[in-house]
Amino acid sequence: MLSFRSLLAVAAAVTGLLLVGCAHAPKPSRPVGPGIGGSVIYITNVTLPANAVVEVRLVELNREGRVDREIAATSYPRPAAMPLEFWLPYQAGLIDQHQSYGLEAKIVAEGRILFTTTRPVPVLTKGNPKNVEAVVVPAQR
């Protein structure tokens, strides 16, 4: 039979092993490579339909600030909650530091745009960030 001291020593050893094990637990992996992070948010009390999809695009802008071409895009079907945190990877070779880039976001359901950014959010070049908040507003019908 184990004495109180023996039980206490075993308990301390097990606790120590558990703490050491937790300290070395792997952390969630971060995306590797170039990309834009941030969140898509809408300011309304509307519940999204179950088939809603959040679409995010990185676009190159022309001198007038209009979309010239798409650089990268991703989508998130059935967002569980808003704001939606996103990560949009892109190919670094497609970015020209002398050009302007923007991030567009929209929420669609059954082919219909429900919410959209009013204009691209400036990103990446000319002092603009790589992490942004894209506010979407109800789409005009």
Side-chain angles (χ1 to χ4, degrees):
M1 188 158 179
L2 293 173
S3 70
F4 179 73
R5 285 183 114 177
S6 298
L7 285 174
L8 192 56
V10 169
V14 168
T15 302
L17 289 173
L18 288 174
L19 289 175
V20 169
C22 291
H24 297 292
K27 294 181 180 176
S29 63
R30 298 185 114 192
V32 178
I36 298 172
S39 57
V40 175
I41 186 171
Y42 63 86
I43 304 170
T44 182
N45 276 340
V46 174
T47 301
L48 295 176
N51 60 351
V53 177
V54 177
E55 298 176 356
V56 181
R57 307 187 321 150
L58 171 62
V59 294
E60 184 176 294
L61 304 173
N62 63 21
R63 287 187 176 161
E64 292 80 37
R66 294 192 188 105
V67 175
D68 195 27
R69 69 183 175 118
E70 180 178 287
I71 302 297
T74 191
S75 62
Y76 297 88
R78 292 187 226 131
M82 295 298 282
L84 172 87
E85 298 295 318
F86 70 86
W87 176 255
L88 177 59
Y90 61 87
Q91 293 179 357
L94 297 177
I95 303 302
D96 178 347
Q97 293 301 313
H98 298 97
Q99 294 290 353
S100 296
Y101 297 90
L103 182 100
E104 293 183 323
K106 62 184 172 180
I107 302 174
V108 298
E110 296 179 7
R112 201 174 93 221
I113 299 172
L114 305 177
F115 295 88
T116 187
T117 47
T118 56
R119 60 179 170 239
V121 178
V123 293
L124 296 179
T125 58
K126 301 183 180 181
N128 292 307
K130 291 183 178 182
N131 194 310
V132 296
E133 183 175 89
V135 178
V136 294
V137 297
Q140 308 236 346
R141 294 189 174 120

